[in-house]
Amino acid sequence: MKRIIAVLLVAASIFLVSCGGIPSARGIVKKTVSGTTEISLYYGSANGNDMAGFNIRRIDGIASGAFAAPKINALPFIVYVFKLDGSVKVEEFKNTLRENCDLVWNICTSADTIICENEGDVVLFAMLDMDEMTGLPKGTDEKIINNFHSIFK
């Protein structure tokens, strides 16, 4: 009987730890942009190959990634979340993003704000334009950063 109880306790512990862990990259990006904009967004995966907003074709070090972008392509707003695979140091990865981003990745639009933050090996990268026309009032960048960091607390 004691063995059965011990096995059940171990199983319950494993279940609780796995369910209480960090969400997927897509879950993180959705929580990060939640309530920050009225823009209608779509979500996708980001694996380091041919990603919108970067002037290089491949970025290494990504275990998994996701993005949120407007359904209307002409708005300068994109948010990425990357879980790193350990092959690249976090600061090196962030520098690669900063050095290779293209603030004018959409024709006729340009972002004016870059966000590049991390919590451990999870990196948030965003490019956006703080402009009333895009629906992104001043302070949107702070909301995105705060939402991102709150996921890990």
Side-chain angles (χ1 to χ4, degrees), residues 71-85:
K71 289 183 179 177
I72 298 173
N73 190 351
L75 301 175
F77 178 84
I78 194 160
V79 178
Y80 286 99
V81 169
F82 303 104
K83 287 186 177 186
L84 303 185
D85 64 11

Side-chain angles (χ1 to χ4, degrees), residues 7-144:
V7 169
L8 291 174
L9 286 173
V10 169
S13 297
I14 291 170
F15 176 77
L16 290 173
V17 169
S18 65
C19 290
I22 298 171
S24 69
R26 186 175 289 223
I28 294 171
V29 82
K30 284 184 176 184
K31 289 180 180 182
T32 297
V33 297
S34 176
T36 62
T37 180
E38 297 297 317
I39 296 172
S40 184
L41 300 174
Y42 74 95
Y43 301 89
S45 297
N47 63 5
N49 294 316
D50 297 318
M51 296 185 306
F54 294 96
N55 56 22
I56 56 176
R57 298 195 44 95
R58 174 137 184 88
I59 298 175
D60 293 322
I62 300 169
S64 64
F67 72 89
K71 289 183 179 177
I72 298 173
N73 190 351
L75 301 175
F77 178 84
I78 194 160
V79 178
Y80 286 99
V81 169
F82 303 104
K83 287 186 177 186
L84 303 185
D85 64 11
S87 66
V88 178
K89 293 180 181 175
V90 173
E91 288 306 316
E92 181 182 330
F93 183 81
K94 289 168 57 176
N95 286 337
T96 298
L97 297 178
R98 285 188 208 102
E99 292 168 2
N100 293 288
C101 68
D102 180 3
L103 295 174
V104 190
W105 76 96
N106 284 330
I107 296 173
C108 300
T109 65
S110 176
D112 64 9
T113 302
I114 294 173
I115 298 169
C116 194
E117 301 272 326
N118 74 286
E119 283 281 348
D121 65 349
V122 179
V123 176
L124 165 70
F125 185 82
M127 294 182 288
L128 51 142
D129 183 25
M130 296 299 193
D131 181 273
E132 287 77 35
M133 287 182 61
T134 64
L136 297 172
K138 297 289 182 193
T140 299
D141 55 339
E142 294 167 18
K143 288 180 188 175
I144 289 171

